[in-house]
Amino acid sequence: MMPPALVPQSRVLTSPWRAMAIAALAISTVLPFVILLLQSFGESWRWPDVLPSGLTGSAWRAVAGGSLGRAAVNSAALGVATAVAAVCVALPVGRSLAQLQGAWRHVAAALVFLPVAAPPIALGAGLQIVTLWLGIASTSVGVWFSHTVPAIGYVSLLFLGVFTSRGTEAEEAARTLGASTWHTWTMVVIPSLRAPITEALAIAFLISWTQVALTLVVGGGALRTLPLEVLTLVRAGQDRPAAVGALLLIVPAIAALAALRLGARRTDALPT
Amino acid sequence: MTRAANALSVEGLAVPFATPASLSSTAGPQGLHLISLEVARGERVVLLGPSGEGKTSLLRAIAGLTPVSAGRIQVGDLDVTHMSAESRGTVYLHQTPVLFPHLSVEANVAFPLTIRRVPAAERTRTVHTLLERLHLGELAKRAPHTLSGGQKHRVALARALAAKPNVLLLDEPLSALDPVLRRDVRDAIREAHAESDAGLLLVTHDLDDATSLGDRLAIMLDRTIAQVATAEVLFASPVSVAVMRFVGLHQEFAGVVRDAQSVDTPLGAVPMPRGATASRDALSDPHVSSLSSGQRVVLGIRSDAIRCQSSAPRSSADRRELTNTLTLPSARVLSISHRSGGTTAAVQLSDVVMHALVDPMSLPPIDSLVTVHIDVRGLIVFPE
């Protein structure tokens, strides 16, 4: 009897099953965007038509100067402000956490993670009370504050990992060479953390950019952001502008993804 | 105003090891205690000791990177005990060189000058001089991650010298290096320090590195400085059994004091090691004078003072050499070992085994009988 032919393991893994799995993933990822794109340009698109009856750019033209455009500008400004504030706070927080030892480090890390782990609606309820106390409820500043809290949590954890892996040797070297705390941070720590800081800015921006619950609960409609505008359009059945808004929401996500990839490629810039 | 002769003076220093709570009063048994040490300008002192004795902690405390609980640190004329790391005039180099990854080699070397706002022309001149001195001229524009291990050490040394420190603190710069790189870094340290009047305090585990680099060696045992001396004095006259054991140059035998002239040992009666060398007298006399008949002692014999040979000396020159020699009865050769320090034979005398240098050109056969000669200038005795 002939022995069964040996099939290399790699051939099994690159079988048609693998191709099908990749195709399924691609379709599920790309298809919604293709549909949104068609929807945003389609004149009318009714069941059971496979494609829209005609194409128009009217919804896109309406963005500039319209509510979607204003909301996109609001979201972008809010995202930038959130990202800058979160990174400014999270950098020293992450470094301090990395210097803690034993149980204190776990406790502090858990506290930082709390706003990240808590459901946004629960966090929003808590932050609403805080913003009321501070007198910034239902204001743009209140919304920015509410976005910054979870962003700080995420980004602090990121910097905790960064500082834990790097240690404080570079700072110590700079200090014994005569650098003050200011020089150490501006000439050594921050420049050598360019990649992680880019990543942190991107993540914090996205946290703010995609935020709905906190904007609604704390802002109470005072600040119209892009996600809120898209939500309103979807609920009103205005499919074409809603599709345009949804696509606008995706653009920064793709840009942030590119920034993260770029940052990942630069992470070999560790102290040598 | 005259400059202080010492680059560094440490007096009664205590450094806690564990938690900030132990900073309260004194370091106690968990930390360094009663550390006193001086490093002269331009001098190289090597800190030697077993792992866990706190050599790195001492360096970090001097650099201002670890808090101290008692004592005083003076750099030049200045008491820096409670000053911040950046104000002390000490530069601390980590075991693995820490270069700033976003700066080129020359920008790394220029860093201490940049933060001091040294004018550009002077900065360029100093950096160029240091790079040339450490053979880094061609690497000036390179990024740190493109350098070899030895080159990184050289850049870190050049950068440290650019800061013009009073004291240079090097934490095990030679550990975890292969022999070739080790030699390269050792040369770099010598070259870097040659034209500097900074005091240099360096930690190493290796006795060869220590003797090669240090003007004086400081032995750390039981979390304090046990002895500071030149290699010659340290090897000839360790101040305690612990130092003698750490240095590891002596072979140890139990003994009992017979009288002021001799000690009974398993090797037979050996002369009381007194007045053999001028340098040792001062240190060993207190031990010897405090000994009494019948007292148990530890006898140390420097390994390079023990030789064996197959036949008795023949020439008159040999006899002259034997003036200070104790000749032991015939011993049996158990084995021969070839090491970089010389070829030795393990020999047995009754129930004692000792190691003796042997002429590699005329090795005695295993199991043959040899004569063992001990240079009595290599003897030292301590109360048990």
Side-chain angles (χ1 to χ4, degrees):
Chain A
M1 196 176 125
M2 290 283 286
L6 291 174
V7 180
Q9 194 68 9
S10 58
R11 292 283 297 278
V12 174
L13 292 174
T14 53
S15 67
W17 290 108
R18 191 179 179 195
M20 283 172 68
I22 291 170
L25 182 67
I27 289 167
S28 65
T29 310
V30 175
L31 194 61
F33 300 123
V34 173
I35 291 170
L36 280 175
L37 203 62
L38 289 171
Q39 181 83 280
S40 71
F41 284 104
E43 271 189 346
S44 74
W45 195 1
R46 291 197 178 83
W47 174 264
D49 297 344
V50 178
L51 291 169
S53 56
L55 295 176
T56 174
S58 60
W60 284 98
R61 283 194 295 273
V63 169
S67 62
L68 269 180
R70 281 193 299 276
V73 170
N74 285 344
S75 278
L78 189 60
V80 169
T82 301
V84 170
V87 168
C88 286
V89 175
L91 250 176
V93 168
R95 181 178 168 280
S96 303
L97 288 180
Q99 287 181 324
L100 290 175
Q101 301 290 328
W104 286 112
R105 185 170 174 173
H106 296 294
V107 170
L111 283 173
V112 170
F113 189 64
L114 200 58
V116 178
I121 200 75
L123 183 63
L127 285 174
Q128 190 187 30
I129 296 167
V130 175
T131 52
L132 280 168
W133 284 343
L134 295 173
I136 52 172
S138 302
T139 66
S140 300
V141 175
V143 175
W144 165 77
F145 176 76
S146 70
H147 286 198
T148 304
V149 170
I152 287 172
Y154 271 108
V155 178
S156 294
L157 291 173
L158 186 147
F159 284 123
L160 169 62
V162 168
F163 282 110
T164 302
S165 66
R166 284 174 182 239
T168 54
E169 281 88 354
E171 290 171 54
E172 288 177 352
R175 286 181 59 208
T176 69
L177 287 165
S180 62
T181 306
W182 169 254
H183 280 138
T184 302
W185 273 88
T186 55
M187 295 178 70
V188 175
V189 178
I190 292 173
S192 67
L193 291 179
R194 205 173 296 159
I197 288 173
T198 307
E199 289 171 28
L201 285 169
I203 289 170
F205 179 88
L206 283 181
I207 289 167
S208 169
W209 181 260
T210 56
Q211 200 56 250
V212 175
L214 291 173
T215 316
L216 266 177
V217 175
V218 176
L223 186 69
R224 299 298 296 177
T225 61
L226 193 56
L228 284 193
E229 207 58 35
V230 173
L231 188 67
T232 307
L233 291 168
V234 169
R235 290 171 66 182
Q238 297 188 42
D239 295 341
R240 208 185 318 151
V244 170
L247 286 169
L248 285 176
L249 271 174
I250 293 163
V251 173
I254 292 169
L257 200 63
L260 291 177
R261 293 295 303 163
L262 203 66
R265 246 182 269 155
R266 285 183 186 155
T267 45
D268 59 343
L270 289 164
T272 51
Chain B
M1 194 175 136
T2 55
R3 293 174 84 200
N6 284 331
L8 173 71
S9 304
V10 176
E11 223 179 284
L13 199 70
V15 183
F17 273 176
T19 58
S22 58
L23 269 171
S24 52
S25 55
T26 55
Q30 289 304 310
L32 301 178
H33 53 99
L34 293 173
I35 300 278
S36 292
L37 178 69
E38 289 180 343
V39 181
R41 292 190 178 280
E43 187 187 26
R44 294 194 298 254
V45 173
V46 175
L47 208 50
L48 268 166
S51 296
E53 288 294 340
K55 300 182 294 296
T56 295
S57 297
L58 175 58
L59 250 59
R60 291 177 63 82
I62 294 169
L65 300 171
T66 295
V68 303
S69 55
R72 185 166 180 264
I73 302 167
Q74 187 169 323
V75 173
D77 295 315
L78 205 60
D79 183 344
V80 301
T81 316
H82 302 292
M83 284 170 70
S84 61
E86 59 267 29
S87 317
R88 293 191 170 206
T90 58
V91 175
Y92 174 81
L93 269 71
H94 295 80
Q95 182 178 340
T96 307
V98 179
L99 303 182
F100 305 137
H102 58 289
L103 299 178
S104 67
V105 166
E106 64 180 353
N108 260 284
V109 176
F111 180 83
L113 307 170
T114 309
I115 55 179
R116 287 181 176 85
R117 298 180 190 281
V118 172
E122 188 187 335
R123 195 166 63 213
T124 307
R125 199 168 49 247
T126 307
V127 169
H128 179 76
T129 306
L130 286 169
L131 290 177
E132 290 304 320
R133 197 203 295 180
L134 286 159
H135 315 296
L136 293 165
E138 292 176 1
L139 307 175
K141 304 292 178 195
R142 295 260 294 267
H145 73 269
T146 65
L147 304 178
S148 69
Q151 289 166 341
K152 285 176 186 171
H153 275 282
R154 286 176 181 274
V155 175
L157 281 166
R159 188 180 63 185
L161 290 175
K164 290 196 170 68
N166 282 313
V167 182
L168 204 50
L169 304 162
L170 274 62
D171 191 1
E172 299 198 43
L174 302 167
S175 64
L177 300 180
D178 64 58
V180 176
L181 191 54
R182 202 180 186 91
R183 204 176 312 126
D184 182 32
V185 174
R186 212 153 56 182
D187 291 346
I189 293 169
R190 261 196 235 101
E191 286 163 16
H193 190 248
E195 293 173 38
S196 165
D197 74 341
L200 186 147
L201 187 57
L202 178 147
V203 168
T204 181
H205 281 112
D206 188 280
L207 200 59
D208 285 343
D209 289 336
T211 52
S212 155
L213 281 170
D215 298 319
R216 287 188 300 149
L217 315 185
I219 307 296
M220 273 191 85
L221 294 171
D222 296 328
R223 294 170 182 171
T224 192
I225 303 266
Q227 185 172 4
V228 185
T230 61
E232 185 192 356
V233 171
L234 181 72
F235 294 167
S237 309
V239 292
S240 64
V241 177
V243 172
M244 179 180 80
R245 284 176 182 158
F246 174 73
V247 173
L249 286 185
H250 291 74
Q251 293 180 41
E252 224 179 281
F253 303 91
V256 176
V257 176
R258 178 189 285 183
D259 52 36
Q261 273 72 45
S262 60
V263 177
D264 285 325
T265 74
L267 308 171
V270 300
M272 181 68 82
R274 185 208 304 255
T277 63
S279 61
R280 201 177 57 214
D281 277 348
L283 290 168
S284 60
D285 265 353
H287 299 305
V288 174
S289 60
S290 66
L291 298 175
S292 54
S293 292
Q295 183 172 352
R296 290 183 177 280
V297 291
V298 174
L299 175 77
I301 309 176
R302 268 181 76 146
S303 290
D304 55 5
I306 309 172
R307 293 173 185 276
C308 70
Q309 60 184 82
S310 298
S311 55
R314 284 183 293 269
S315 71
S316 57
D318 282 340
R319 275 194 293 276
R320 274 201 306 277
E321 271 182 23
L322 294 178
T323 308
N324 287 313
T325 301
L326 169 72
T327 302
L328 298 179
S330 292
R332 185 174 301 281
V333 177
L334 300 177
S335 63
I336 303 283
S337 303
H338 301 276
R339 299 195 183 91
S340 57
T343 304
T344 58
V347 296
Q348 185 165 20
L349 283 126
S350 59
D351 57 348
V352 176
V353 175
M354 64 195 304
H355 297 269
L357 285 171
V358 63
D359 181 358
M361 296 301 133
S362 62
L363 293 174
I366 304 293
D367 267 346
S368 66
L369 293 177
V370 291
T371 308
V372 176
H373 305 289
I374 297 173
D375 187 333
V376 294
R377 291 170 298 184
L379 300 181
I380 191 161
V381 69
F382 296 99
E384 197 176 75

